[in-house]
Amino acid sequence: MSDDQGSAAEPVQRQVRVQLTSKQEDIALPESTGPILVPTGLRRYALSTLVNNLLSSEKPIPFEFLINGTFLRTSIDEYLSANGISSETTLEIEYVRALIPPLHIASFQHDDWVSATDVLSATAPAATWASGATFSKGQERILSGSYDGFLRVWNMSSETIATSPAATEGGHTASIKAAKFVSPNQIASASLDRTVRLWKYTEEAGGFSGKIAPQLELYGHKSGIESLAVHAPSNRLLTGSSDHNVGFWSTKKADAPAAPENLLPSNAARNSKRRKLNSSVSTAQRGPLALLSAHTAPVSAAIFDARDSTVGYSASWDHSLRTWDLVTASLVDTRTTAHSLLSLEHLPDHNLLAAGTSARHITMIDPRASATTVAAMTLRGHTNAVVSLARDPHSSHGLISGSHDGTVRLWDLRSTKTDKEGIVGESVYSIPRKSLEEEGKADSKRVGGEGVKVFSVCWDETVGIVSAGEDKRIQINRGEGVLSSAKE
Amino acid sequence: MLIDKKRSRLEEVPQVICTPTMDARKASKKRKAVTRDVEEEAGVFSGDELSAENLDGALSDNANDLSESEDDDSEIELIDDFSDEDDEEEEELDSDEIPSDVDEEPKKSAVKEWNPEEPNVRIVKDANGNERYLYDEINPDDNSDYSDVEENANTIGDIPLTFYDQYPHIGYDINGKKIMRPAKGEALDALLDSIEIPKGWTGLTDPATGKPLNLTQEELELLKKVQMNEIPGEGYDQYEPLVEYFTSHQEIMPLSAAPEPKRRFVPSKHEQKRVMKLVKAIRDGRIQPWKAPEEREEVDENLINFDLWADEQERPDHIMHVPAPKLPPPGYEESYHPPPEYIPDSKERKAWEQADPEDREKEYLPNDFGSLRKVPGYENFVQEKFERCLDLYLAPRVRRSKLNIDPESLLPKLPSPEELKPFPTTCATVFRGHKGRVRSLNVDPTGIWLATGGDDGTVRVWEILTGRQLWSAKLSDEDAVNVVRWRPGKDAVVLAAACGDDIFLSVPPIADPEIEKASLEVIDAGWGYAASNPTPHNPEEKKAAPPTWIRPSSTLADVGVCAVIPLRYVPKSISWHRRGDYFVSVCSGASTPASVAISIHTVSKHLTQFPFRRRLKGGGPPQTAHFHPSKPILFVANQRSVRGYDLSRQLLVKILQPGARWISSFDIHPTSSSASGGDNIIIGSYDRRLLWHDLDLSPRPYKTLRYHRKAIRAVKFHPGGRYPLFADASDDGSLQIFHGSVTGDMLSNATIVPLKVLKGHKVTAELGILDIDWHPREAWLVSAGADGTCRLWM
């Protein structure tokens, strides 16, 4: 039908034979559908209408079309000429469900800037690692670490279930910069007070209140800790700090060495009243398994390899990305880029590391020694430093990034184009802060993302996209189907 | 007369025929005459008489039938003349001598043959005394006269008879009948014929008929009569009685009273004939208007000709030779009958007439004349031609080598800003919190924290990337914090802040205990020293007595302030020595005594010294001072100059005259002295100038950059030399980023490339940006604005 429309509109239009396929069975065309002759002037929308007609579905499903692994963003004609494909050949076009915008679900209001967030759900790593504990649906918890030094655990009804103790009772004495669930019962947090703290998290039966109790204090960093990564099966933590070191820690009190004396707050030269109060609660203090020092500038992110917990990666303001062998605590590889790196995420299926930079883009770095190019791909679109990254739990090619420009952007590694700077990707969606919208200033652009900076993002399969920012909120957006999930 | 002439000619004939032994010279001449071309002879021989026709034919075998009549000159004269001419020719062949027979010259002028070299005109005076050219009489060569053709004349024309050798006939008569070849007898007959000469035999062959030409009896008798000087005709009576048609008597009374006959008034046929002769002669080119060239030359001698281009020659094609431009061809407007759209209407015409001649767009008004004959004379013709001439020779024509230069190429070859990345381009963070202006800011040596001080009397420390305020200390309720500076070095975290008359040294609680301890020790070390070595009080210099460092009040001590230096005057500038043990402060107020304006503070000894007793010469109070990044040199700027003092030798080593009226700030290139051996200093001034000084070149600025609209308040090199960047901040609310690379070799000068103007700060009370600082490692810039915000640019 659309064939007819197309040829009526442009009688001299060339035609091309296309084979429409889909890997999703529910939307797949019947086997008998052979190659179809379509005008080359068709774009995504026309093709989508065509497929809907072929499927004779009552409610039209928007589709995206992939030719040779890239989304069709132009007309078929332009695609053919751009790629030098003859219109005589039969085009293999794969179609997938188009993305659904990541709709805003909820926002949780805090007292201060929210610097860190994590999710505990059946699909979250903390729950999957804890094989013994079964996690029921509806019990999702959201952890937030705030600049006021408190950790909070929220349920999905925007109720605070638990808050970490204040500084006088064994809490952080400075802003929390990173926080993660280690297991459904354990939380790790890193702070500007140079400590990593492990907390025991317990919930009451109803699930309406809980308790965060200090378990372990880890000393070793000499400056604020910027990032924290956990690997529960091996009981290991990885931190990146402004003192240029990557800390490698054990969550087990027994494993960890003693804390370095000189860094303990009791050793502080100044006898301020505030610090005195600190000693009211005594928590076990431990030191790092290893301090990996090679960076020459603050380490902004340190993560475990997604598949191999003995490999760690760290990104630093000194422009370098380093690979560590955590068993021997030795530096394996250094990749130097052109900009300060502020965040890091591992995409194991692509063997890529996504690094957010201060230069407002995300660089995809192949950390393998065999890789010749430093930057395999560049994702452009942010207007300020990219400080947080999270991978798509649904697919291997999805990525979200939180930036100081006040947006969270979704990226699809397949939605790229090649220009003079190499492969450049554009974001699929940009999620603005709901707070701006509520203030009625959704359109106004904040200089430097003032007041709306996003500090942390987390993407959970069940909960969705959780982002925390300077607007003192945790914002939850729908994360399902936002990227065309072509699950093989 | 005519008859006489004829006779005389006939008399000649026997000479030719009958006197074969002639004088040799004469004979040769005659031969020559005979062999001449027909045309030439046509002029020589004359006579159109029918009777003479045959004779002529007898004299020359190929003579043309056509002969011309001779009017007045006698045959003898003609012959003489002819011979003379021949003589001349011969003589001319032999020598260049002048012809000897000069006395015969006038006769020669009468020769009818036209000679182009000679005038065929006589000049006489007419009745008015004017010159009158009298042309010779011209024989019109009247070819209307046809000689009668013989009855049986051959009509084959001018074809040699040999053409008919093969045929029995020799041609055709007028009736188309063949003229048969006359029968030829045998050789004996011929011999007999020759022996027996018939009467009238001439021995010639008639070319027309091919027959032997014999004279008839009548002709012979005529010849005889001629020979005998008798009358030619037979029936001619010499003595006939005279019939008097017109009496010889003059009648007194006219015979008739008839009026003058008409013929006297009608044009004369005779005259017409003469005119026709002239016309024919002119047509034939025999008469040509001739003017004596000598006369012209005589006239020209009296005139002076200003022929400007008389000596102009074809010039070889040369690049500097410009031929006169050609006038453009006339357009439609200049037509006598232009299309109506070119004809001005009355308004245009009026405007043209009223306009000054110099202002007129064109010098004429298009006019429409119905036809060309209605076009009046052009009144400006002479003037225009004159002006054109003036144009042509007065207008200097110079080949202007038009500068066909791409304007882009005139710009200095600066690298494009794209190649000079990274440099700050956008505002990444806004630090909001200060009430009132932020007067000063500084990034700590580790590059994590930013310290600011402002009008609200607070010193604040921020997380540089997120803009989170980490620490704040209120130093004063009234006074503004004028300057904050971190102590260099990563071993301790000490912040010096000048607020009011005091300088506060504080240790913000942001560092880990170890460093905090070290920092406190750095400051506390001096307490003991100051106590044990009290400053000697000099009674004479009581006024300039160095201040003693004091401990802060408990409230200040709680927030982290460790030491206070009361200076009694408001310090506006603090600059640390790179080792972190000294800093220099400058009280730039006009009321500050010169001796205490500049003070150097030693942190380890809690010692404040005033190195300058007197005011720096020329340029008002000192403004700011900096230690050299690697050498023991202190640079001090007053309003108009920057001086460098060697601290170890205590000598003035450098005076810079930037030419600015009021220096606001300056900065020393961090690495140029170690990289290239020479220092480079940038100076910002309140009179909107940014000056780059290369100390090796001259005390004057190497480059002056005037890009700001308002005063420049701060200039800063990127520290550490990792990025060759510098920036300035101005009251117009903008920052300007420059690339300023200093090369290692001494030969090349610094490259300065403007990179970026950063705008964002609001101008508040005519103040824009008050201070800037670079991140120690990154190409990030922080700026303190009068609008109460600080901004991070990356």
Side-chain angles (χ1 to χ4, degrees), chain A residues 112-113 147 177 192 194 222 242 262-263 269-270 297-298 317 319 340 358 360 384 404 447-448 450 453 455, chain B residues 425-429 432 447-448 463 465-468 507 510-512 514 516 560 723 777-778 780 791 794:
Chain A
D112 205 343
W113 300 4
Y147 267 86
K177 296 287 277 186
L192 276 184
R194 303 172 289 279
K222 292 181 177 174
S242 297
N262 56 343
L263 295 176
R270 247 191 297 222
W317 290 19
H319 304 187
S340 294
S358 67
R360 302 170 282 279
N384 209 340
H404 278 178
V447 174
E450 193 193 355
K453 291 189 187 80
F455 294 132
Chain B
T425 52
T426 50
C427 176
T429 310
R432 215 178 275 276
I448 312 170
E463 206 176 36
L465 202 59
T466 56
R468 173 80 184 185
V507 180
I510 48 173
D512 68 293
E514 207 176 20
E516 195 165 69
Y723 299 106
R777 283 185 314 269
E778 298 293 329
W780 299 348
R791 278 160 201 260
M794 62 161 68

Side-chain angles (χ1 to χ4, degrees), chain A residues 433-448:
Chain A
R433 297 304 285 178
K434 190 72 179 170
S435 55
L436 266 185
E437 207 173 303
E438 285 167 6
E439 286 172 40
K441 297 174 190 162
D443 298 332
S444 67
K445 195 172 173 298
R446 293 291 183 102
V447 174

Side-chain angles (χ1 to χ4, degrees), chain B residues 406-453:
Chain B
D406 184 17
E408 291 291 319
S409 67
L410 293 175
L411 293 172
K413 293 277 176 293
L414 292 179
S416 107
E418 280 296 309
E419 300 164 12
L420 300 174
K421 278 185 172 179
F423 54 85
T425 52
T426 50
C427 176
T429 310
V430 179
F431 303 86
R432 215 178 275 276
H434 274 289
K435 293 176 186 67
R437 295 172 198 136
V438 186
R439 294 211 172 202
S440 177
L441 85 177
N442 198 215
V443 185
D444 92 298
T446 60
I448 312 170
W449 301 303
L450 171 73
T452 59

